[in-house]
Amino acid sequence: MASGLPDLDIVAAHSFGNAGAKKNSLYIPPTKTVTIQTKTGPIQQEVSNFQLVEFQDNFTTDYNATQVFGRMDPIVNYKGTTRKITLGIRTSNEVTTRAINTKMKKLQYPVYESAPSGITNALAIQRPPLVYVTFGSLIHGLAGDGTPLLCALKGFSNSPRVGLTPLDSPLVVFGSEATEITFTETTFRFDFIPLHDRTPAFTGDVPAWVGGNL
């Protein structure tokens, strides 16, 4: 069963290209292989791992407008163009849900400078929480599809589905030492601010686009 979706790959910038990349990254394939019990024995089947429920690629062109006496139209000075990407996915796979929660919570925090032994709450920030994101033709670097796009993490949200029927209510397991709650379905939302490796723009007397593939 092919989902038609690309892989989602989010790698911490501080680990990109080194030995820590796998540990400090979130990789979600569009499908997973599961084992299903049948009358003739167990069989393996490929099922959808997540669904795409939201995608926004917003460009905001900002001007400083000044209204002057006797002029109907304001005088506008261009300030800059900003971009924000919002991605929403939904999954019912417990392993995928746990991986997203575990990895993305950690990736919200920066890298600190080394501190003297015993000091853990007064550190100097070395690097902010930047990530490289790849998601097929929807999120990619200026070199084209499949290349990573450097982004600042603007936020991450986890919205489990909570219902009142046996099909969508959360599963609560009571143990001798702790209580575990799992949900039948969870929606995740990621907010990114792209930091392009070169400025998207036109240049020259006869302007030509030099900003790569957005």
Side-chain angles (χ1 to χ4, degrees):
M1 175 182 176
S3 70
L5 293 174
D7 300 345
L8 174 60
D9 196 10
I10 303 175
V11 185
H14 58 75
S15 297
F16 187 76
N18 61 41
K22 185 175 182 180
K23 180 180 179 181
N24 299 314
S25 65
L26 173 67
Y27 172 74
I28 310 175
T31 59
K32 272 187 174 293
T33 301
V34 298
T35 302
I36 301 176
Q37 296 294 334
T38 66
K39 293 181 179 179
T40 58
I43 61 172
Q44 289 189 331
Q45 184 175 352
E46 195 175 63
V47 298
S48 176
N49 190 26
F50 68 89
Q51 298 171 298
L52 180 65
V53 295
E54 181 181 5
F55 180 77
Q56 297 179 36
D57 194 355
N58 298 311
F59 294 80
T60 302
T61 306
D62 194 12
Y63 291 89
N64 184 25
T66 303
Q67 195 74 48
V68 296
F69 178 77
R71 180 184 174 97
M72 298 302 101
D73 299 324
I75 298 174
V76 292
N77 294 314
Y78 175 72
K79 296 172 64 177
T81 301
T82 59
R83 183 183 181 190
K84 179 183 176 182
I85 297 176
T86 298
L87 174 67
I89 64 173
R90 180 179 297 141
T91 180
S92 57
N93 186 283
E94 184 179 347
V95 175
T96 301
T97 298
R98 187 181 299 111
I100 296 174
N101 274 321
T102 302
K103 296 291 182 68
M104 289 307 300
K105 288 176 182 178
K106 292 180 179 179
L107 294 182
Q108 305 301 310
Y109 296 93
V111 177
Y112 287 96
E113 294 281 2
S114 298
S117 177
I119 300 178
T120 60
N121 62 349
L123 306 177
I125 292 178
Q126 182 191 71
R127 302 178 187 178
L130 303 180
V131 292
Y132 282 99
V133 184
T134 308
F135 189 56
S137 61
L138 294 181
I139 305 178
H140 57 77
L142 296 180
D145 298 358
T147 60
L149 175 64
L150 179 63
C151 298
L153 272 174
K154 184 67 175 176
F156 156 74
S157 63
N158 167 11
S159 303
R161 180 181 180 183
V162 180
L164 301 177
T165 70
L167 293 178
D168 56 16
S169 60
L171 174 64
V172 181
V173 179
F174 293 95
S176 59
E177 298 180 357
T179 301
E180 181 182 358
I181 301 177
T182 58
F183 298 93
T184 57
E185 191 176 78
T186 305
T187 300
F188 296 96
R189 173 173 169 160
F190 310 86
D191 291 313
F192 305 108
I193 298 177
L195 304 174
H196 304 98
D197 52 9
R198 62 177 181 270
T199 302
F202 296 89
T203 62
D205 295 332
V206 181
W209 178 254
V210 296
N213 185 2
L214 294 175

